[in-house]
Amino acid sequence: MRILIGKPADGLRARFIGAFVNTNGEYYRSAIRETRLHEDGMCYIGFLRDCLKDPVTVTEPEALAELRPLPSLCAMWDIHSKDMIRIPGYWRYPKRAVLELTPRELDAVLPTLPKDVYLFDRDCGLAAALTGEYDEGGRRRCLLCKNI
């Protein structure tokens, strides 16, 4: 696994947003594009998952099964302030980082990632949003997006 920060991370984040996120809506403009200064830096208050283009709701095993055949994965999360996320130990990686990992590393790395995480291939053909929300059966709500 590699932890990317700075321009490489920003570039992958921008590619993900360009491929999978509807940036034309009011929610995106006011809750994500418009960042606010917090004690821990510039952050947004929304969730990229709420702006995904044509997401399909799937289970976590279904999302992971779609991702496992890919040669490599990127992982990123929303840039929220510690004022919004008050879970101890939530930020194990730099807030603006993007991780590069192999599908084999995913099971070991997944427990260390924020509850809401976006997994995608570098070419931005496929993405999964694993959310921090669960259904009444205790299954994690996940969203799958394909950029065809």
Side-chain angles (χ1 to χ4, degrees), residues 7 17 20 30 36 38 47 55 61 71 73 99 104 134-135 145:
K7 287 182 181 181
I17 290 172
F20 299 110
S30 65
R36 293 153 178 86
H38 294 266
F47 291 90
L73 296 171
L99 308 183
R104 285 185 148 174
Y134 293 81
D135 68 15
C145 294

Side-chain angles (χ1 to χ4, degrees), residues 5 15 17 20 33 38 61 63-64 67 75 84 88 97 106-107 110 116 119-122 126 134 139 148:
I5 56 173
R15 285 177 69 187
I17 290 172
F20 299 110
R33 188 178 67 197
H38 294 266
L64 296 177
L67 296 168
M84 183 174 168
L106 185 57
D107 288 333
L110 204 52
D116 285 281
L119 302 167
F120 59 101
D121 66 315
R122 200 176 241 287
L126 179 68
Y134 293 81
R139 292 175 301 249
I148 300 172

Side-chain angles (χ1 to χ4, degrees), residues 2-6 8-10 12-13 74-79 91-100 113-114 117-118 120:
R2 289 182 4 164
I3 301 171
L4 304 175
I5 56 173
D10 294 345
L12 284 169
R13 185 175 290 275
C74 297
M76 66 177 214
W77 38 87
D78 290 297
I79 301 172
W91 301 113
R92 297 189 187 181
Y93 303 99
K95 195 177 302 186
R96 297 182 183 288
V98 174
L99 308 183
E100 280 188 326
L113 299 175
V117 63
Y118 306 95
F120 59 101

Side-chain angles (χ1 to χ4, degrees), residues 128-141:
L130 311 184
T131 76
E133 297 176 351
Y134 293 81
D135 68 15
E136 58 279 346
R139 292 175 301 249
R140 189 178 191 177
R141 183 174 169 262

Side-chain angles (χ1 to χ4, degrees), residues 49-105:
R49 68 176 190 229
D50 294 331
C51 303
L52 293 175
K53 298 175 186 173
D54 303 315
V56 175
T57 301
V58 297
T59 65
E60 184 174 7
E62 290 170 329
L64 296 177
E66 289 280 338
L67 296 168
R68 288 195 197 289
L70 298 172
S72 65
L73 296 171
C74 297
M76 66 177 214
W77 38 87
D78 290 297
I79 301 172
H80 289 152
S81 170
K82 66 179 182 175
D83 299 333
M84 183 174 168
I85 308 292
R86 298 182 184 268
I87 301 168
Y90 190 79
W91 301 113
R92 297 189 187 181
Y93 303 99
K95 195 177 302 186
R96 297 182 183 288
V98 174
L99 308 183
E100 280 188 326
L101 59 147
T102 67
R104 285 185 148 174
E105 294 172 308

